[in-house]
Amino acid sequence: MILAATTNENLANTANVLVYSSMAVYTLAFLAHIAEWVLGSRSKVGRTAAALTGAGAKATATATVEVRTAEQEKGGGTAVLDRPKVITRSAAGRRDVPDGPGAAGGTFKGDLYGRIAVAMTALGFLLEAVGVITRAMAVQRAPWGNMYEFSTTFSTVAVGTYLGFLLAKKNVRWIGLPLVTTVLLNLGIATTVLYTDSDQLVPALHSYWLWIHVSTAIFCGAVFYLGAVGTLFYLLRDVYESKIARGVTVGRAWSSVMERLPAAATLDKFSYRVNAAVFPLWTFTIIAGAIWAGDAWGRYWGWDPKEVWSFITWVAYACYLHARATAGWKGRKAATLALVAFGCWLFNYYGVNIFVTGKHSYAGV
């Protein structure tokens, strides 16, 4: 008995070390992302700005360039190569604007630091994931019985989802800087304010529904977070594109950031797709929670604060998805709804757990 308790304590300490180690690596990733943005080429950004001001519908045109090599000079031949099409993803009535070159600005040095940042992010993810697994071994249950465990698992899943998008060859490296910044803040709060020693759960939580209900809630929150980042950048980029279209002068530092992001239409489509894809899973999360409540407390719905705010979050995202299908609410109005919906999710996690007392308060902070 004593040996088992000592082993569990050692595992818990190891888990803490792994989480702190991941924070150190995420810090290196943060600095590398900063270097990627700072060292990105201004010339590439300048060309993107020119495309924004004069492209319009011409942004989708395909140009040709002549490349003459030394051997071709001797033979008098000319090779004509098609320049890759400028990819635009605008809906009807929207501006046709090409995607920016990315945080690296299209330069080797910027791209090098970006790749280092991604590598450090991947290493931090592995350390944190092993830390979460070690915590699970220490407590001998699902590693999300309190806010500390939920926070560490949440950031792990968020980073893992981001890396999954990169492995799928999606152009999402622009999420890297806000992601590692948020992860560091989240882990900083988790390891200081929210930290709770490993302990067993109350009998009501000893159910396989803990693995199903809470795991889906964590995954939904991670994807909703990525969608919120895309939505925020969409709003900023859309305002920027509107100013450029009207000929308004924009500050150099601000334009340098905006010009490297994907086009507003691309960001809007990304946010909509990830939110729409995970919304059915959030619906399942609420249903699973209701089934679990029926097993644990003898009722499926009791208007507990956590239940209420989960439903409010569901309604907010449902309104956002409906607004996307309504002509008068597309664009910035719908995007604002998406941010409000994610704000509801955040309050459901932090606000309800910390400031409101209910049946979901037994796990402690």
Side-chain angles (χ1 to χ4, degrees):
M1 193 77 170
I2 297 177
L3 179 60
T6 303
T7 301
N8 291 340
E9 184 179 353
N10 291 336
L11 285 172
N13 292 333
T14 301
N16 294 338
V17 171
L18 287 167
V19 170
Y20 280 113
S21 299
S22 70
M23 293 176 65
V25 176
Y26 283 137
T27 302
L28 295 178
F30 170 79
L31 296 175
H33 273 302
I34 292 292
E36 178 187 17
W37 280 94
V38 170
L39 299 177
S41 169
R42 290 294 190 271
S43 59
K44 276 280 186 180
V45 171
R47 285 198 291 273
T48 305
L52 285 173
T53 55
K58 295 180 181 179
T60 57
T62 302
T64 59
V65 293
E66 293 186 355
V67 179
R68 194 181 296 268
T69 64
E71 291 78 15
Q72 291 167 344
E73 288 285 350
K74 293 179 182 178
T78 301
V80 179
L81 303 178
D82 289 336
R83 192 176 70 184
K85 290 182 179 180
V86 177
I87 300 175
T88 58
R89 303 173 175 83
S90 60
R94 298 279 189 89
R95 297 176 295 273
D96 266 337
V97 176
D99 289 341
T107 62
F108 173 78
K109 183 176 289 187
D111 184 64
L112 175 63
Y113 279 100
R115 291 177 183 274
I116 292 174
V118 171
M120 291 294 100
T121 303
L123 178 58
F125 163 76
L126 290 175
L127 290 171
E128 189 179 10
V130 174
V132 170
I133 295 172
T134 305
R135 175 80 174 198
M137 295 170 60
V139 296
Q140 299 180 355
R141 56 169 172 76
W144 41 72
N146 49 61
M147 289 186 68
Y148 167 75
E149 294 173 356
F150 191 100
S151 296
T152 54
T153 306
F154 168 78
S155 58
T156 303
V157 174
V159 175
T161 305
Y162 163 71
L163 294 174
F165 276 121
L166 290 178
L167 288 175
K169 307 298 183 182
K170 301 299 182 181
N171 178 26
V172 295
R173 206 162 83 185
W174 46 272
I175 298 179
L177 181 57
L179 174 65
V180 295
T181 303
T182 306
V183 166
L184 283 171
L185 290 173
N186 176 65
L187 291 178
I189 295 173
T191 54
T192 54
V193 179
L194 303 178
Y195 181 77
T196 303
D197 290 330
S198 58
D199 198 2
Q200 293 304 310
L201 301 177
V202 297
L205 293 182
H206 286 286
S207 170
Y208 60 88
W209 284 107
L210 174 66
W211 293 90
I212 299 172
H213 172 64
V214 183
S215 63
T216 54
I218 291 173
F219 180 77
C220 289
V223 178
F224 282 149
Y225 163 76
L226 296 180
V229 173
T231 301
L232 179 61
F233 278 151
Y234 157 71
L235 290 171
L236 296 175
R237 171 84 185 200
D238 190 59
V239 171
Y240 170 75
E241 289 180 8
S242 297
K243 289 183 178 180
I244 293 297
R246 298 195 309 268
V248 177
T249 302
V250 182
R252 181 175 177 181
W254 185 242
S255 63
S256 174
V257 173
M258 291 294 103
E259 288 159 6
R260 298 192 232 178
L261 291 173
T266 303
L267 292 166
D268 186 39
K269 188 170 292 186
F270 168 80
S271 303
Y272 169 68
R273 285 178 174 176
V274 297
N275 285 327
V278 82
F279 180 73
L281 188 60
W282 182 250
T283 305
F284 169 78
T285 301
I286 296 176
I287 295 173
I291 296 173
W292 186 13
D295 291 342
W297 302 318
R299 92 291 188 277
Y300 295 101
W301 191 267
W303 299 104
D304 182 74
K306 179 70 71 173
E307 296 169 352
V308 171
W309 276 96
S310 295
F311 181 68
I312 291 174
T313 302
W314 184 90
V315 171
Y317 274 107
C319 290
Y320 161 70
L321 295 176
H322 178 72
R324 288 282 312 204
T326 305
W329 275 83
K330 287 183 178 179
R332 296 182 190 176
K333 291 182 179 179
T336 302
L337 268 179
L339 291 182
V340 170
F342 183 68
C344 291
W345 188 91
L346 281 180
F347 182 79
N348 185 34
Y349 173 49
Y350 285 104
V352 172
N353 284 13
I354 296 175
F355 302 111
V356 182
T357 302
K359 281 187 173 295
H360 288 77
S361 303
Y362 45 67
V365 174

PDB file of all heavy atoms in Angstrom, residues 8 23 37 57 62 78 108 123 131 137 139 166 212 244-245 256 293 306 354-355:
ATOM      1  N   ASN A   8       2.769   6.270  -7.074  1.00  0.00           N
ATOM      2  CA  ASN A   8       1.834   7.240  -7.659  1.00  0.00           C
ATOM      3  C   ASN A   8       2.318   8.670  -7.454  1.00  0.00           C
ATOM      4  O   ASN A   8       2.184   9.520  -8.345  1.00  0.00           O
ATOM      5  CB  ASN A   8       0.450   7.062  -7.037  1.00  0.00           C
ATOM      6  CG  ASN A   8      -0.199   5.754  -7.447  1.00  0.00           C
ATOM      7  OD1 ASN A   8       0.182   5.152  -8.448  1.00  0.00           O
ATOM      8  ND2 ASN A   8      -1.183   5.309  -6.673  1.00  0.00           N
ATOM      9  N   MET A  23       6.508  23.503 -21.270  1.00  0.00           N
ATOM     10  CA  MET A  23       6.404  24.961 -21.260  1.00  0.00           C
ATOM     11  C   MET A  23       7.697  25.606 -21.719  1.00  0.00           C
ATOM     12  O   MET A  23       7.685  26.611 -22.464  1.00  0.00           O
ATOM     13  CB  MET A  23       6.030  25.447 -19.857  1.00  0.00           C
ATOM     14  CG  MET A  23       4.634  25.052 -19.406  1.00  0.00           C
ATOM     15  SD  MET A  23       4.269  25.548 -17.695  1.00  0.00           S
ATOM     16  CE  MET A  23       4.311  27.341 -17.847  1.00  0.00           C
ATOM     17  N   TRP A  37       8.219  35.892 -37.996  1.00  0.00           N
ATOM     18  CA  TRP A  37       7.484  37.085 -38.414  1.00  0.00           C
ATOM     19  C   TRP A  37       8.416  38.272 -38.635  1.00  0.00           C
ATOM     20  O   TRP A  37       8.255  39.038 -39.585  1.00  0.00           O
ATOM     21  CB  TRP A  37       6.430  37.440 -37.363  1.00  0.00           C
ATOM     22  CG  TRP A  37       5.194  36.610 -37.463  1.00  0.00           C
ATOM     23  CD1 TRP A  37       4.910  35.462 -36.783  1.00  0.00           C
ATOM     24  CD2 TRP A  37       4.064  36.845 -38.305  1.00  0.00           C
ATOM     25  NE1 TRP A  37       3.679  34.971 -37.145  1.00  0.00           N
ATOM     26  CE2 TRP A  37       3.132  35.808 -38.073  1.00  0.00           C
ATOM     27  CE3 TRP A  37       3.745  37.839 -39.227  1.00  0.00           C
ATOM     28  CZ2 TRP A  37       1.903  35.733 -38.733  1.00  0.00           C
ATOM     29  CZ3 TRP A  37       2.518  37.771 -39.886  1.00  0.00           C
ATOM     30  CH2 TRP A  37       1.626  36.725 -39.639  1.00  0.00           C
ATOM     31  N   ALA A  57     -10.441  41.221 -59.819  1.00  0.00           N
ATOM     32  CA  ALA A  57     -10.724  39.951 -60.479  1.00  0.00           C
ATOM     33  C   ALA A  57      -9.510  39.404 -61.184  1.00  0.00           C
ATOM     34  O   ALA A  57      -9.419  38.222 -61.488  1.00  0.00           O
ATOM     35  CB  ALA A  57     -11.877  40.128 -61.462  1.00  0.00           C
ATOM     36  N   THR A  62      -3.792  33.752 -64.907  1.00  0.00           N
ATOM     37  CA  THR A  62      -2.552  32.995 -64.999  1.00  0.00           C
ATOM     38  C   THR A  62      -1.599  33.715 -65.949  1.00  0.00           C
ATOM     39  O   THR A  62      -1.955  34.000 -67.086  1.00  0.00           O
ATOM     40  CB  THR A  62      -2.828  31.576 -65.538  1.00  0.00           C
ATOM     41  OG1 THR A  62      -3.743  30.941 -64.668  1.00  0.00           O
ATOM     42  CG2 THR A  62      -1.538  30.773 -65.600  1.00  0.00           C
ATOM     43  N   THR A  78      13.222  29.268 -76.650  1.00  0.00           N
ATOM     44  CA  THR A  78      12.639  29.944 -75.489  1.00  0.00           C
ATOM     45  C   THR A  78      11.667  29.012 -74.800  1.00  0.00           C
ATOM     46  O   THR A  78      10.795  28.435 -75.459  1.00  0.00           O
ATOM     47  CB  THR A  78      11.896  31.222 -75.914  1.00  0.00           C
ATOM     48  OG1 THR A  78      12.815  32.083 -76.569  1.00  0.00           O
ATOM     49  CG2 THR A  78      11.310  31.923 -74.703  1.00  0.00           C
ATOM     50  N   PHE A 108      13.788  32.325 -47.262  1.00  0.00           N
ATOM     51  CA  PHE A 108      14.417  31.128 -46.701  1.00  0.00           C
ATOM     52  C   PHE A 108      14.637  31.281 -45.201  1.00  0.00           C
ATOM     53  O   PHE A 108      14.356  30.366 -44.433  1.00  0.00           O
ATOM     54  CB  PHE A 108      15.759  30.859 -47.398  1.00  0.00           C
ATOM     55  CG  PHE A 108      16.539  29.748 -46.763  1.00  0.00           C
ATOM     56  CD1 PHE A 108      16.219  28.423 -47.003  1.00  0.00           C
ATOM     57  CD2 PHE A 108      17.593  30.021 -45.895  1.00  0.00           C
ATOM     58  CE1 PHE A 108      16.933  27.393 -46.406  1.00  0.00           C
ATOM     59  CE2 PHE A 108      18.313  29.007 -45.294  1.00  0.00           C
ATOM     60  CZ  PHE A 108      17.980  27.685 -45.558  1.00  0.00           C
ATOM     61  N   LEU A 123       7.749  19.021 -30.361  1.00  0.00           N
ATOM     62  CA  LEU A 123       8.453  18.459 -29.209  1.00  0.00           C
ATOM     63  C   LEU A 123       7.725  18.805 -27.914  1.00  0.00           C
ATOM     64  O   LEU A 123       7.564  17.962 -27.023  1.00  0.00           O
ATOM     65  CB  LEU A 123       9.889  18.986 -29.165  1.00  0.00           C
ATOM     66  CG  LEU A 123      10.748  18.526 -27.972  1.00  0.00           C
ATOM     67  CD1 LEU A 123      10.827  17.004 -27.926  1.00  0.00           C
ATOM     68  CD2 LEU A 123      12.143  19.148 -28.055  1.00  0.00           C
ATOM     69  N   GLY A 131       3.256  13.847 -20.311  1.00  0.00           N
ATOM     70  CA  GLY A 131       2.918  14.327 -18.972  1.00  0.00           C
ATOM     71  C   GLY A 131       1.473  14.026 -18.614  1.00  0.00           C
ATOM     72  O   GLY A 131       1.170  13.622 -17.481  1.00  0.00           O
ATOM     73  N   MET A 137      -1.614   7.778 -15.178  1.00  0.00           N
ATOM     74  CA  MET A 137      -1.076   6.604 -14.487  1.00  0.00           C
ATOM     75  C   MET A 137      -0.969   6.854 -12.983  1.00  0.00           C
ATOM     76  O   MET A 137      -1.179   5.943 -12.182  1.00  0.00           O
ATOM     77  CB  MET A 137       0.299   6.263 -15.073  1.00  0.00           C
ATOM     78  CG  MET A 137       0.256   5.821 -16.529  1.00  0.00           C
ATOM     79  SD  MET A 137       1.903   5.710 -17.264  1.00  0.00           S
ATOM     80  CE  MET A 137       2.667   4.470 -16.200  1.00  0.00           C
ATOM     81  N   VAL A 139      -2.920   8.869 -11.124  1.00  0.00           N
ATOM     82  CA  VAL A 139      -4.239   8.909 -10.473  1.00  0.00           C
ATOM     83  C   VAL A 139      -5.068   7.678 -10.806  1.00  0.00           C
ATOM     84  O   VAL A 139      -6.132   7.468 -10.214  1.00  0.00           O
ATOM     85  CB  VAL A 139      -5.007  10.185 -10.877  1.00  0.00           C
ATOM     86  CG1 VAL A 139      -4.286  11.419 -10.379  1.00  0.00           C
ATOM     87  CG2 VAL A 139      -5.192  10.255 -12.389  1.00  0.00           C
ATOM     88  N   LEU A 166      -1.273  20.580 -40.068  1.00  0.00           N
ATOM     89  CA  LEU A 166      -0.019  20.732 -40.795  1.00  0.00           C
ATOM     90  C   LEU A 166       0.364  19.441 -41.510  1.00  0.00           C
ATOM     91  O   LEU A 166       0.823  19.478 -42.666  1.00  0.00           O
ATOM     92  CB  LEU A 166       1.099  21.148 -39.834  1.00  0.00           C
ATOM     93  CG  LEU A 166       1.022  22.556 -39.254  1.00  0.00           C
ATOM     94  CD1 LEU A 166       2.184  22.792 -38.282  1.00  0.00           C
ATOM     95  CD2 LEU A 166       1.059  23.612 -40.365  1.00  0.00           C
ATOM     96  N   ILE A 212     -15.906   9.280 -22.238  1.00  0.00           N
ATOM     97  CA  ILE A 212     -16.623   9.674 -23.460  1.00  0.00           C
ATOM     98  C   ILE A 212     -17.001  11.154 -23.426  1.00  0.00           C
ATOM     99  O   ILE A 212     -16.664  11.922 -24.338  1.00  0.00           O
ATOM    100  CB  ILE A 212     -17.885   8.806 -23.636  1.00  0.00           C
ATOM    101  CG1 ILE A 212     -17.502   7.340 -23.766  1.00  0.00           C
ATOM    102  CG2 ILE A 212     -18.685   9.267 -24.851  1.00  0.00           C
ATOM    103  CD1 ILE A 212     -18.697   6.395 -23.755  1.00  0.00           C
ATOM    104  N   ILE A 244      -7.727  48.920 -47.845  1.00  0.00           N
ATOM    105  CA  ILE A 244      -6.887  48.915 -49.039  1.00  0.00           C
ATOM    106  C   ILE A 244      -7.730  49.166 -50.285  1.00  0.00           C
ATOM    107  O   ILE A 244      -7.348  49.921 -51.186  1.00  0.00           O
ATOM    108  CB  ILE A 244      -6.123  47.580 -49.168  1.00  0.00           C
ATOM    109  CG1 ILE A 244      -5.095  47.442 -48.040  1.00  0.00           C
ATOM    110  CG2 ILE A 244      -5.429  47.469 -50.524  1.00  0.00           C
ATOM    111  CD1 ILE A 244      -4.006  48.485 -48.057  1.00  0.00           C
ATOM    112  N   ALA A 245      -8.895  48.540 -50.343  1.00  0.00           N
ATOM    113  CA  ALA A 245      -9.783  48.715 -51.494  1.00  0.00           C
ATOM    114  C   ALA A 245     -10.256  50.158 -51.627  1.00  0.00           C
ATOM    115  O   ALA A 245     -10.483  50.648 -52.743  1.00  0.00           O
ATOM    116  CB  ALA A 245     -10.976  47.772 -51.379  1.00  0.00           C
ATOM    117  N   SER A 256       2.280  44.933 -42.610  1.00  0.00           N
ATOM    118  CA  SER A 256       3.238  43.841 -42.716  1.00  0.00           C
ATOM    119  C   SER A 256       2.666  42.544 -42.164  1.00  0.00           C
ATOM    120  O   SER A 256       2.902  41.464 -42.720  1.00  0.00           O
ATOM    121  CB  SER A 256       4.527  44.201 -41.966  1.00  0.00           C
ATOM    122  OG  SER A 256       5.420  43.112 -41.935  1.00  0.00           O
ATOM    123  N   ALA A 293     -25.679  12.011 -16.559  1.00  0.00           N
ATOM    124  CA  ALA A 293     -26.398  12.603 -15.423  1.00  0.00           C
ATOM    125  C   ALA A 293     -27.556  11.711 -14.996  1.00  0.00           C
ATOM    126  O   ALA A 293     -27.858  11.586 -13.801  1.00  0.00           O
ATOM    127  CB  ALA A 293     -26.919  13.985 -15.807  1.00  0.00           C
ATOM    128  N   LYS A 306     -23.543  24.315 -15.305  1.00  0.00           N
ATOM    129  CA  LYS A 306     -22.718  23.762 -16.382  1.00  0.00           C
ATOM    130  C   LYS A 306     -23.585  23.274 -17.540  1.00  0.00           C
ATOM    131  O   LYS A 306     -23.262  23.486 -18.717  1.00  0.00           O
ATOM    132  CB  LYS A 306     -21.867  22.618 -15.832  1.00  0.00           C
ATOM    133  CG  LYS A 306     -20.971  21.951 -16.866  1.00  0.00           C
ATOM    134  CD  LYS A 306     -19.834  22.844 -17.305  1.00  0.00           C
ATOM    135  CE  LYS A 306     -18.812  23.008 -16.209  1.00  0.00           C
ATOM    136  NZ  LYS A 306     -17.599  23.741 -16.674  1.00  0.00           N
ATOM    137  N   ILE A 354     -15.304  28.364 -11.630  1.00  0.00           N
ATOM    138  CA  ILE A 354     -14.669  29.141 -10.563  1.00  0.00           C
ATOM    139  C   ILE A 354     -15.688  29.947  -9.750  1.00  0.00           C
ATOM    140  O   ILE A 354     -15.610  30.007  -8.517  1.00  0.00           O
ATOM    141  CB  ILE A 354     -13.602  30.080 -11.157  1.00  0.00           C
ATOM    142  CG1 ILE A 354     -12.469  29.252 -11.790  1.00  0.00           C
ATOM    143  CG2 ILE A 354     -13.026  31.004 -10.087  1.00  0.00           C
ATOM    144  CD1 ILE A 354     -11.428  30.088 -12.512  1.00  0.00           C
ATOM    145  N   PHE A 355     -16.666  30.561 -10.434  1.00  0.00           N
ATOM    146  CA  PHE A 355     -17.531  31.528  -9.760  1.00  0.00           C
ATOM    147  C   PHE A 355     -18.930  31.009  -9.449  1.00  0.00           C
ATOM    148  O   PHE A 355     -19.663  31.644  -8.689  1.00  0.00           O
ATOM    149  CB  PHE A 355     -17.661  32.798 -10.613  1.00  0.00           C
ATOM    150  CG  PHE A 355     -16.346  33.450 -10.920  1.00  0.00           C
ATOM    151  CD1 PHE A 355     -15.843  33.447 -12.210  1.00  0.00           C
ATOM    152  CD2 PHE A 355     -15.600  34.047  -9.918  1.00  0.00           C
ATOM    153  CE1 PHE A 355     -14.629  34.042 -12.499  1.00  0.00           C
ATOM    154  CE2 PHE A 355     -14.376  34.639 -10.198  1.00  0.00           C
ATOM    155  CZ  PHE A 355     -13.892  34.636 -11.493  1.00  0.00           C
TER     156      PHE A 355
END
